[in-house]
Amino acid sequence: MKKLMTALALVVFATSLHAAYEAKWESIDKRPVPQWWKDAKFGIFIHWGPYAVPAFGNISKDGKFAWDCYAEWYQGFMLKGKKPYLDHHEKFYHNAPYGNFAAEFKAEHFDAADWAKLFKKAGAKYVVLTSKHHDGYALWPSPESPYYNSVAMGSGRDIAGEFCKAMREAGLKRGFYYSMLEYANPLYPGIRDGNPSPFALTPEEWNKRVNLPQLKELAEIYEADIIWPDGEWDYHSSRHCSEEYLAWLYNESKVKDTVVVNDRWGKDCRGRHGGHYTTEYVLEGGDKSGDGAEHPWEECRGIGNSFGYSRFETPKDYMSRERCVETLVNCVSRGGNLLLNVGPTADGRIPAIMQDRLLAIGRWLDVNGEAIYASSSWKKAPKGLAGIYFTQKGSDLYLISFAAGSKPISFAAGDVKAVTVLGAPSVNVKWSVKDGVLTVTPPAFANGEMPCEFAPVLKISRK
Ligand code: FHN
């Protein structure tokens, strides 16, 4: 009897290991977001595909978020009849089919190891590449996109494969963005240009024949650390078969214990289901569905106003070095990660202005990374201090100041035992505590004394 009970218990245990997650949101949503991602804080997004050939997007008039600045939407905006895109295409490409850009997407200077070096120097911990954007062109030789992928047409290279190998060798976590919709594929059920395709599949068929096999390839062939779907808004997650895919991913795939996913699994999902929540250009008034959530979340945005390379943008359209760091700090201080995008040129180079911004973030993190990586938001942070942000690690607090001047700041901080400047331990900081209220004066640094270009960090050590 005892032996039988032990055998039964073993079977139950083995079964529970094998099928830990059911294909239902209530089960899938219980899986915690892996700690490596929560600690990482800073990732690089890469939007790269045939749209990098025209590299054309509208220019924001006031520097604010505007969806029609997205250069990766070149084909989509033409299908929607957007005039600047149609005019540009007629004038410079004589209305040639968009698919011709795939043949010109040569990637001749693409060196994934060089990219990895830059991302490491930027202090990023993970990188997400568009394996396939809404135009349907795949950066790997996928059997479901047999003629429209980077090996069949364009560079002749398995870009996803080269990317993964280089990132892995550099010690960076890596993964893939994946668009569930394809605006011009005749099999895609959604109506993208006002005319339903006579060949359209049902959403379920589309997902079973295209999306699910491709999402599985990304997890199994490339052992992606991150699966980052998008273009999910046409259908409910049940029609995308998303719960089914995630149950497979979490129970059976090679990456089941470590993979990270986002919340873009169907029009019912953003800010509600899946892994971490997402926002997009949130500080500029974009999509804020996952913002401020208690749940792990990630902001994504370009350094300028587009994800795909938009070659008519000028420096005024790009965030300054300081603004890039402030965006990262703003997200982290509110408990989020930042996935900052670069849009390489069609020949595979990362534009100099984007490199400049990434390197500036890296220099700042070299000195102040302690306040960012593996930190959390300080729930009791005082409100209304313009340009001042806080993070927390254990009992220590970090005050990160983008504010000008050296006016004393007072706030409740508990039992403080020391206040020091990260990267400049010999700089004397004036501070005092009374009844748990800390008054600290941001130091006025002497020439050459400030340890970073801007936004010095005060470490507040507590008992
Ligand atoms: O339409 C896309 C857009 O081109 C870009 O890929 C962003 C990245 O989050 N996602 C979509 C809009 O939410």
Side-chain angles (χ1 to χ4, degrees):
M1 188 61 179
K2 207 171 158 197
K3 271 191 187 154
L4 183 66
M5 293 302 283
T6 315
L8 266 177
L10 276 175
V11 170
V12 171
F13 178 65
T15 319
S16 72
L17 267 188
H18 186 68
Y21 295 96
E22 286 174 67
K24 289 184 186 150
W25 285 126
E26 67 189 55
S27 171
I28 285 162
D29 288 343
K30 291 203 175 102
R31 181 179 183 266
V33 172
Q35 194 62 38
W36 74 258
W37 185 90
K38 292 200 258 180
D39 291 345
K41 305 296 178 195
F42 179 37
I44 304 287
F45 212 178
I46 307 170
H47 274 61
W48 201 35
Y51 42 82
V53 176
F56 175 82
N58 272 351
I59 301 300
S60 167
K61 287 185 188 63
D62 50 6
K64 285 278 166 219
F65 166 78
W67 173 47
D68 61 6
C69 293
Y70 284 6
E72 70 279 11
W73 265 82
Y74 188 87
Q75 182 183 25
F77 287 144
M78 286 200 292
L79 291 170
K80 286 178 178 295
K82 289 228 174 218
K83 200 159 156 28
Y85 288 83
L86 289 171
D87 289 351
H88 184 83
H89 198 62
E90 184 179 12
K91 184 163 176 195
F92 296 101
Y93 301 103
H94 315 296
N95 291 331
Y98 174 85
N100 288 9
F101 290 135
E104 289 174 54
F105 180 56
K106 292 260 170 31
E108 60 271 39
H109 299 298
F110 167 50
D111 180 339
D114 259 10
W115 286 14
K117 255 190 239 155
L118 173 68
F119 302 153
K120 285 282 280 193
K121 273 192 157 176
K125 301 291 182 196
Y126 61 98
V127 190
V128 179
L129 170 70
T130 47
S131 64
K132 184 181 89 169
H133 202 262
H134 310 330
D135 61 2
Y137 180 84
L139 297 190
W140 83 106
S142 168
E144 291 74 33
S145 306
Y147 309 112
Y148 203 43
N149 71 60
S150 60
V151 172
M153 201 179 190
S155 64
R157 292 161 69 174
D158 175 1
I159 289 173
E162 291 183 35
F163 160 82
C164 268
K165 182 170 174 289
M167 299 305 142
R168 187 177 296 121
E169 283 171 3
L172 288 161
K173 297 276 188 190
R174 66 268 148 203
F176 295 108
Y177 166 107
Y178 177 84
S179 173
M180 296 200 176
L181 70 82
E182 287 187 23
Y183 25 47
N185 190 322
L187 300 181
Y188 182 70
I191 306 166
R192 309 241 61 87
D193 57 357
N195 296 308
S197 159
F199 308 104
L201 303 171
T202 64
E204 289 78 2
E205 280 167 348
W206 167 260
N207 282 294
K208 293 227 149 103
R209 276 172 54 176
V210 182
N211 285 353
L212 297 187
Q214 291 196 320
L215 284 164
K216 286 188 175 180
E217 286 158 32
L218 296 173
E220 291 295 82
I221 303 174
Y222 301 108
E223 298 185 27
D225 297 305
I226 299 159
I227 299 283
W228 211 102
D230 190 27
E232 80 293 8
W233 46 79
D234 282 344
Y235 300 105
H236 191 272
S237 57
S238 56
R239 307 203 76 187
H240 280 302
C241 315
S242 295
E243 292 146 297
E244 188 183 320
Y245 173 73
L246 285 167
W248 169 84
L249 188 70
Y250 293 170
N251 293 324
E252 294 175 49
S253 75
K254 283 187 189 160
V255 290
K256 63 187 163 95
D257 296 323
T258 50
V259 71
V260 167
V261 305
N262 70 7
D263 60 350
R264 300 186 175 184
W265 296 97
K267 64 178 175 189
D268 50 317
C269 291
R270 288 194 193 195
R272 281 192 219 119
H273 295 302
H276 64 78
Y277 295 167
T278 53
T279 60
E280 190 168 318
Y281 280 92
V282 73
L283 299 174
E284 326 297 330
D287 177 3
K288 57 177 174 43
S289 38
D291 190 24
E294 284 305 301
H295 192 80
W297 62 277
E298 175 185 68
E299 155 76 351
C300 66
R301 61 157 299 158
I303 301 175
N305 294 308
S306 171
F307 287 95
Y309 179 45
S310 183
R311 63 184 150 142
F312 299 100
E313 284 191 330
T314 61
K316 78 167 173 31
D317 301 303
Y318 285 84
M319 290 192 286
S320 66
R321 294 173 179 173
E322 186 170 354
R323 178 76 180 150
C324 286
V325 173
E326 188 168 0
T327 301
L328 171 66
V329 170
N330 181 311
C331 290
V332 174
S333 70
R334 294 185 297 118
N337 282 19
L338 174 67
L339 185 63
L340 187 64
N341 182 80
V342 296
T345 54
D347 62 8
R349 290 168 302 114
I350 295 178
I353 192 162
M354 300 183 195
Q355 296 195 33
D356 177 80
R357 300 309 190 255
L358 293 191
L359 293 172
I361 298 173
R363 286 194 297 275
W364 187 86
L365 282 169
D366 275 347
V367 176
N368 300 307
E370 178 185 328
I372 298 295
Y373 303 120
S375 69
S376 54
S377 91
W378 182 34
K379 300 284 179 263
K380 294 184 180 157
K383 306 254 178 302
L385 294 175
I388 292 177
Y389 302 86
F390 292 88
T391 61
Q392 175 168 23
K393 200 185 275 180
S395 58
D396 296 334
L397 301 175
Y398 298 91
L399 182 160
I400 307 168
S401 176
F402 293 83
S406 284
K407 267 218 223 118
I409 310 165
S410 293
F411 54 91
D415 264 349
V416 175
K417 65 173 188 235
V419 181
T420 49
V421 181
L422 283 189
S426 56
V427 170
N428 199 24
V429 184
K430 231 171 110 191
W431 65 277
S432 60
V433 190
K434 196 168 172 226
D435 300 332
V437 173
L438 169 69
T439 299
V440 59
T441 307
F445 293 96
N447 247 352
E449 211 181 36
M450 189 150 132
C452 45
E453 288 154 71
F454 39 74
V457 178
L458 296 183
K459 177 174 181 173
I460 302 165
S461 310
R462 297 189 297 179
K463 288 171 194 148

